[in-house]
Amino acid sequence: MAAEADGPLKRLLVPILLPEKCYDQLFVQWDLLHVPCLKILLSKGLGLGIVAGSLLVKLPQVFKILGAKSAEGLSLQSVMLELVALTGTMVYSITNNFPFSSWSEALFLMLQTITICFLVMHYRGQTVKGVAFLACYGLVLLVLLSPLTPLTVVTLLQASNVPAVVVGRLLQAATNYHNGHTGQLSAITVFLLFGGSLARIFTSIQETGDPLMAGTFVVSSLCNGLIAAQLLFYWNAKPPHKQKKAQ
């Protein structure tokens, strides 16, 4: 009976969340305090949760822009720098054959971020420029993922993530401070990004052991935390034109 019960559970957990030896350690020998295997289980679980969340994390921002028919309060430069950072993480991870669960959210976030880039341009009356940007980005991505790009260039791109994240978030923070409100910035998206980057510090250390990846997420967490703090600070602040309409 126990073996029959173990069958579906083992198929569910191995190898998605646990290697077979850890499954045996935890669920056959019932050594539930085996720290190395618990770390693997926690890392894989967090990784899958982050990937699942990344499918939707920026959709609230997209829908908020579409609903308002405005990208007011969003810094285009900040969004583009975030796109650079996500692209660097994705290309670096693919080139180094890291586990899909350790970087796949970068792919989904990249798709949503490039959508936001286009919407910001579109609602600023630059639709043609936005279409050209999409085409150029696709071409650059193909070149980066091709054998034509040396590993040193890919590593340099990943190393540039830290300044890209810092400058991008500081530009958004400066925009928020200058405006005195956060405009169409989505609170759901910002807080989900903050939580995801915190979790990724642990999973990147556990699954890749790459200090460059881990360091990027440490910096990303600090910068996302700054934007989250501004959202709380400006929670009840309204854009000036909205205040006039209310009067």
Side-chain angles (χ1 to χ4, degrees):
M1 293 292 291
E4 291 178 7
D6 279 350
L9 180 62
K10 189 171 185 177
R11 285 195 295 272
L12 178 66
L13 297 180
V14 179
I16 298 173
L17 290 176
L18 284 170
E20 188 166 358
K21 65 178 182 179
C22 278
Y23 174 85
D24 292 340
Q25 191 78 37
L26 295 174
F27 297 103
V28 176
Q29 299 178 32
W30 292 105
D31 183 6
L32 299 179
L33 297 179
H34 192 270
V35 175
C37 288
L38 288 175
K39 282 184 177 180
I40 293 173
L41 181 60
L42 177 60
S43 176
K44 293 289 187 182
L46 281 174
L48 288 176
I50 293 168
V51 170
S54 70
L55 292 169
L56 304 171
V57 69
K58 290 203 170 190
L59 289 185
Q61 182 67 79
V62 172
F63 292 143
K64 191 167 185 179
I65 294 171
L66 290 172
K69 292 183 171 55
S70 167
E72 182 183 10
L74 273 76
S75 166
L76 180 60
Q77 292 88 346
S78 174
V79 178
M80 284 188 169
L81 284 169
E82 184 178 1
L83 182 62
V84 169
L86 290 168
T87 304
T89 296
M90 185 178 68
V91 172
Y92 182 75
S93 300
I94 292 172
T95 303
N96 286 279
N97 296 312
F98 290 154
F100 184 68
S101 60
S102 71
W103 61 267
S104 52
E105 85 278 0
L107 169 63
F108 304 123
L109 288 174
M110 178 270 288
L111 293 172
Q112 295 167 70
T113 301
I114 199 169
T115 300
I116 293 170
C117 280
F118 173 76
L119 289 175
V120 172
M121 293 182 190
H122 172 66
Y123 286 117
R124 289 182 179 179
Q126 301 173 334
T127 305
V128 174
K129 184 178 177 181
V131 172
F133 170 74
L134 294 178
C136 290
Y137 177 78
L139 182 61
V140 169
L141 187 59
L142 286 174
V143 172
L144 288 173
L145 290 172
S146 75
L148 297 173
T149 305
L151 180 59
T152 51
V153 173
V154 174
T155 304
L156 184 62
L157 181 61
Q158 173 64 15
S160 72
N161 278 6
V162 172
V165 168
V166 171
V167 173
R169 285 293 183 260
L170 288 179
L171 282 170
Q172 183 61 62
T175 299
N176 295 339
Y177 177 77
H178 175 75
N179 292 339
H181 61 82
T182 54
Q184 301 306 321
L185 205 60
S186 167
I188 297 173
T189 293
V190 170
F191 289 122
L192 285 176
L193 286 173
F194 178 47
S197 58
L198 283 174
R200 266 299 176 217
I201 298 172
F202 173 75
T203 62
S204 60
I205 292 172
Q206 182 68 28
E207 295 194 31
T208 71
D210 191 299
L212 191 56
M213 286 277 285
T216 299
F217 287 117
V218 169
V219 173
S220 180
S221 297
L222 292 171
C223 294
N224 285 330
L226 172 62
I227 304 300
Q230 283 190 314
L231 268 166
L232 293 174
F233 184 77
Y234 293 121
W235 192 263
N236 294 316
K238 301 289 183 183
H241 72 277
K242 289 189 177 180
Q243 290 178 342
K244 290 177 183 176
K245 285 183 180 179
Q247 289 174 354

